[in-house]
Amino acid sequence: DREDHPYSGTTMRVGSTALILLIASSALATRAGFFQQNGAMIDASADTNTQEDFHPEHMLKDGASKPRNLTVFILPHSHDDPGWVRTADQYFQFFVRPMYTTVVASLVKNPARKFQVVEVVYFRKWYEMATSEQQQNAHKLVKTGQLNFAVGGWVMPDEATVDYPDLINTMSLGHEWLYDTFSGVRVRHGFQVDPFGASSAFATFSAKLGFETHLVARLNYYDKGWMQDNKELEFVWRPSPSLYASPDRTEIFTHIMDQYQYSAPGIPTEVQLAELCAPPHNRTDCPGGGFYWDGDDGNPNAYWAEKWEEQGYAVYPTVNASNVEFYSDFLVNNSISRSSWFATDNLLWPFGTDFQHFNSTSMFSSMDKIIEHVNARNGAGQRYEGVTLQYSSLGDYFEAVRRAKPEGWSVRHGGDFLPYSTLNCNGISSDPLPSPCSGNAGPQFNVSWPQTWSGFFSSHARLKIQARKASRELRSGSQLLSIAALAKLEADGEQLQKPIGAVMASSVHTLRSAVGLVPHHDALSGTMGSGCGNDPKLGYKNISTCAALPMGTLGDAGAVANDYADRMLSGAAMVAKQTEAAAAYILDPESKNKSKEEKLSLSVDPEHFFAALKEGRGASAAVHNPLAWKVVSWVRVDVPTSMKSARVQDSLGAEVPSDILPGGALECIGDERIKAMCRLAATEQGLARGETAKNSRGDDGDGANSLYFRAEMPALGVAIFNVLPSEQDTAAAAAAASVEQQPDAVIESQYFSLKFLGGVLRSMKDLSTGIEMQMEQTMAEYKSFASVKNVTSPSAGGANSWTLTYTGSRSGSYLLHPSTLSPGGVAGAFKTPKMEVVRGSHVTEVRQWFSETHSQVYRVYTSERDELAGGFVELQMGVGPLEGNRELVARFDTDGGIPTDSGAGSEFLTDSNGFQLQRRVFSPTRFFPDGTSQDVSPDDSYTLALNFYPVVRSAHIRGHDLQLSVLTQQTGGATSTSSGNLEIMVHRRSLQDDSKGACQVFNDTTGSYATIPLDDSEGNTCTQFGWAGTCRADNCPSFAVPMNISTRVEPLMWFVAGKRSTCQGRWRQLSQLLNNRPSLLFSGKAHFDVKASAPMRRAALPLDVHLLTLQPRTADGMSQLVLRLQNIQEIAPASSAANNASGSANGPISIDFNKAGLCALLGKRARVSERALNSLPLDKDGYSRNMFSGDETKTLDLVGSRGGAAAEFKSDATGRIDAHRQAAEGTQQVTGSRRFDTEGRACGFKTEIWPQDIKTFLITLE
């Protein structure tokens, strides 16, 4: 425990014990109450998702030390989750809409007032529903700076689990709307206060979006404590070594919020009772939330108005002449204490929290009085000498900081702040308490358990898979619609008619909005609550009472998650309808002159395709390549089980290699109940029938076989492939795949040889080098640490009374805490995994079953010689339903790792939002920039939780000459517990809540109550938790909230292993291929008269440059498109000279639009204008100016081996797909910065892209 925390000597005392408080803002705050725990006064009514800190508070005392000229910048704000324990629409109706209405009215009344907006998805909805007068007022307030914006994305995104294209999308959605609506307004400051940790990729994007500052609240508490002690809460962050080496010198000034986080401090109940609550009223009901004069976010304003009328006094008393000095003293002394943690005499004091200011009139009128009171008494010798209060925006504060200290800020190179972890204050006997610590581990703990927020990396796996699928559909659909619009302009010299173009663009915008909502930090993270139904008779009471109602009355176990999923499905359906027509036009532009029977008709639904094959007729599939590379891909489609063989031909009639393999590769085995449950889950998630079900009931059942065929595709092209039944039974018999049930086997592709013994993979040989890596790959499960005891409590009354006791930090939707350092076998595991080998002419599978519900299949393309089509092993898992309190991992144990100095764990790498790599080191220790360190783990199980990191696209381990790279298509968690070990967590199921506010468990088999008895007493007679209205030790309502989610998921991975050069030469391209797989449309007819489209003609981008985005800029039409090009390589730093010698690309790549095929794609009429990452016009100098100067002699880089920039993995060694990369037409490597175009005609335009950079262009069609 740290003992050097710089608390002020003015700490308030109750007896000899420091008075500790927890900010109250949950629905339980109406039952405010305190209990004694270890001698400290604890406020038990915390919203544990948003405020987790106990804080000693300070009242002004005579003789207290005062700073000289401290300016307190009061930041009125509200953080509004677009969904958490209620849906986004419910929050908007009851909280957000009245908030913005009263905020605008309050700002108009007083020009000194200011307010900060963050989540544009809500502000846009309010604006579009506002009166014309309210809209005009909003415009005036934005122009004067009273109404200002921070983050400005569609949502405040999670930084651990979101894929980088989705981060760019959600930020661009908000920025584009603000710029278009408010005459060019730009967002200049970040405000990432609620996401659970901070990533280097998002910091990089913040700088590229034009932010001048980046503000973060939640990070490891030991790190924050060191920063506070050393006045290093503000620094210059260079999150991307590659982009700092570029001409832009990408860096960003970063502010870490102190331990009070982003909320105004609460005021202890005893203090409020003594100072604020006037008799003769019932004083025990009076205390509110301190500086929240409009109530708390558990109930909307109407609730508090009703309470006031019932009781005759305000539950949350506002500021008046009798109490203004009390509030002023409290605020000033709190500010004086906190200012000691910062390097300048300026303090940012957040005024608000989650869903606050929903009655902004009360909030501002009270704070006005405090500001006036203090500023009138801050002269020499006066009570508040040297302290000035003012309403502020982030811009006001940071400008003051810049002026106060124009240079000399410490610098942090690379690194990130993941995983987020908190420390429970309870059980800590030292006085003062170590800084900072947390209260929301649950007050039942009597020791200082650390809590690691690494469980959410894998929580709600089903939503994570759905989100990635919707993102792929957005990119592919946007491309097809854009290409159709470009083709129309090129062919006819005319743009698409506005109604048609508007419908196309509007469908894209709808899906963009849905995909842009899911990155919210309580959505994709899997930390949303159960939701609450709507009863029109109850009005606002839907919000205030639904959390305490039995399931089925109003609640809907999964309403919030389903809301996100339904929005994505609806948006995808709209885009699909448009892409069907667009793809048909691209392939057959003369179709308008053909009869209905002759026209090419395509559908995303394979129903007619499947039916035609079942009837013995030919059918066709249109394959779209969403990459601007020439791609070879093995495409899989369902075919009837009666079809044992087929011929596949391209549109010119040429045969292409194909195989039919029997279905059921991932089918559950066992009794029919288990099989039916798995088939239902597969159907709900839209999984392929050929993967999940064998033909157990004939062709009229759910079964299907899998047809694989080789599709060779031009860049961004669309091509027709015809599937024709074989004409002779003998040919079908000869071509049928063989199925062998055996525990030992060897399978080979052109690149790898895999050896299986005893039903388990044992080794993998790199055939290009002859190097064999010993590798055991299995499914394994950790048991969640829960230690739940049902204890009968006589004081509760009745034979069935009970309470619960938890004895550790519990695994839940947020937290991860396995019970052991190493996982065991899966629940219900067979003694030896069952295995069968299916060998086709071109595709071979090894199918494994570890239990009735845990299966996986390895797939190799045996005849494929293209490195990017066959130079990997495909691993698809079928997982679930899980038993309760299980955390499932895909486990790789190899001889290719590098051990840590301690011998425990190893070095490994994970990606940051799929964008850049981070080096990780398994360790129980936190290392600090000054060379000190702190052991933070009480045992091995906590060490394990501390060393799980998010994986969005890839994780890697390597030895001196060996490497394993695992590429993923969904977000999960990863760790390396020993040298050569790599584990990817893909699925979880917990049976208890982890006291972080969502009050949910992943009871994912029935949707019924969790296995915790109901509490009929509603907490009225509970001795320990009555204040929470429950006898449950996790502070949740008296019923457990089950989440009927993720019954079964089928995550997909690719992996490459062997010599380091083999992996490094191709994994980045493979990662793009895995996450941008060809999209399919179907026809119930064969088509031989349709040529493949090649929008870029014979050209393609080089394999180091990825076309990330091609989509309409607005929802109004297709006349403006956004194009993004990304250099997917990272620079090897100078310290990695050995890696550079292997041929790494350290300079930018120049692109000539003519020669690279972009002129052919965009057409001669297109104008190109370079834009910022969010598609807004460039700043005058092309990028955001660095306002804060870093001191190169002062570094915040970690001393030790905790992690940081992944230097060793930033270079690509030999074997770099040379045939694809060499002399890509229209591109060249350049070694220095050149002057290239920023605008001009597409034909003739040139640009350069620095490693890891993303260039954005606005394409205007004329």
Side-chain angles (χ1 to χ4, degrees), residues 1100 1102 1149-1157 1223-1228 1246-1247:
I1149 294 175
S1150 64
I1151 303 290
D1152 183 321
F1153 275 40
N1154 279 10
K1155 297 178 181 178
E1225 188 174 14
T1227 68
Q1228 68 180 75
K1246 297 180 181 179
T1247 191

Side-chain angles (χ1 to χ4, degrees), residues 815-853:
L815 302 186
L816 175 65
H817 186 194
S819 59
T820 57
L821 178 62
S822 299
V826 301
F830 302 132
K831 186 174 181 180
T832 301
K834 299 181 184 298
M835 191 176 100
E836 66 181 28
V837 183
V838 182
R839 300 181 189 271
S841 302
H842 306 284
V843 184
T844 296
E845 293 181 344
V846 171
R847 303 175 177 182
Q848 295 174 310
W849 288 267
F850 292 88
S851 76
E852 291 183 340
T853 57

Side-chain angles (χ1 to χ4, degrees), residues 1077-1094:
R1077 302 193 84 184
S1079 58
L1080 302 177
L1081 298 101
F1082 300 92
S1083 172
K1085 299 178 181 178
H1087 296 276
F1088 290 98
D1089 56 346
V1090 178
K1091 294 182 179 179
S1093 78

Side-chain angles (χ1 to χ4, degrees), residues 988-1007:
R988 316 176 66 220
R989 181 186 174 201
S990 54
L991 290 182
Q992 64 283 321
D993 186 70
D994 51 11
S995 293
K996 292 292 166 282
C999 286
Q1000 65 162 300
V1001 295
F1002 293 143
N1003 187 27
D1004 63 0
T1005 58
T1006 65

Side-chain angles (χ1 to χ4, degrees), residues 1152-1154 1158-1160 1162-1166 1168 1240-1245:
D1152 183 321
F1153 275 40
N1154 279 10
L1158 295 174
C1159 170
L1162 302 174
K1164 297 178 181 179
R1165 296 178 177 84
V1168 179
R1241 292 286 181 186
C1243 296
F1245 193 86

